[in-house]
């Protein structure tokens, strides 16, 4: 069945970079909008980025704008989140998610989630 698998998390120093991957199986990821979310202990889940299926339009939360970049690799059926200039406040478990009717503009219709990958930004 449909699955999303995140990878690429780890420990990085402030100011460093990581690239997260969201690999899809069971469906063509290019047909769907994909969102990246993060959740830290004691904090509410936050959407950090989204990429549309129709025209490739992208969305970024103000907290990551200018530092994070979302992209697709159609051949790999994978969406990436390039994270630069990382800050301690970026520490969280990062998830990708989608759904048959999910749209970046509405941020509604999420049905499929990955297992998450932990990003720790610390000296």
């Amino acid at each position: 069945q449909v699955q999303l698998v995140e990878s690429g998390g780890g420990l990085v120093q402030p100011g460093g970079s990581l690239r997260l991957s969201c690999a899809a199986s069971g469906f063509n990821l290019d047909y769907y909008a994909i969102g990246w979310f993060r959740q830290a202990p004691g904090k509410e889940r936050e959407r950090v980025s989204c990429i549309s299926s129709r025209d490739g339009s992208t969305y970024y939360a103000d907290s990551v704008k200018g530092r994070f970049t979302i992209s697709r690799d159609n051949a790999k059926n994978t969406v990436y989140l390039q994270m630069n200039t990382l800050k301690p406040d970026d520490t969280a478990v990062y998830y990708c998610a989608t759904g048959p009717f999910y749209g970046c503009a509405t941020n509604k219709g999420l049905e499929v989630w990955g297992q998450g990958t932990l990003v720790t930004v610390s000296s």
Side-chain angles (χ1 to χ4, degrees):
Q1 189 56 354
V2 297
Q3 289 185 8
L4 296 173
V5 178
E6 303 97 333
S7 62
L11 175 64
V12 65
Q13 294 186 109
S17 298
L18 286 173
R19 188 180 73 166
L20 305 184
S21 299
C22 175
S25 61
F27 66 102
N28 189 339
L29 206 151
D30 198 38
Y31 295 161
Y32 300 91
I34 307 296
W36 278 102
F37 301 79
R38 67 186 182 188
Q39 188 158 29
K43 288 188 170 183
E44 203 165 308
R45 188 182 67 202
E46 175 188 25
R47 189 176 77 169
V48 299
S49 189
C50 193
I51 186 164
S52 173
S53 62
R54 176 172 172 80
D55 57 6
S57 298
T58 57
Y59 165 91
Y60 300 97
D62 288 341
S63 57
V64 307
K65 196 171 296 182
R67 300 188 297 119
F68 290 13
T69 303
I70 191 169
S71 62
R72 295 180 185 266
D73 186 333
N74 294 336
K76 301 290 185 183
N77 206 28
T78 299
V79 168
Y80 301 98
L81 185 68
Q82 178 68 44
M83 307 186 298
N84 298 326
T85 320
L86 284 161
K87 306 173 180 180
D89 284 349
D90 295 320
T91 296
V93 178
Y94 285 71
Y95 303 87
C96 59
T98 190
F101 307 104
Y102 178 66
C104 292
T106 64
N107 199 28
K108 295 180 179 180
L110 292 166
E111 295 185 12
V112 181
W113 293 79
Q115 82 290 344
T117 186
L118 176 63
V119 172
T120 303
V121 185
S122 176
S123 297

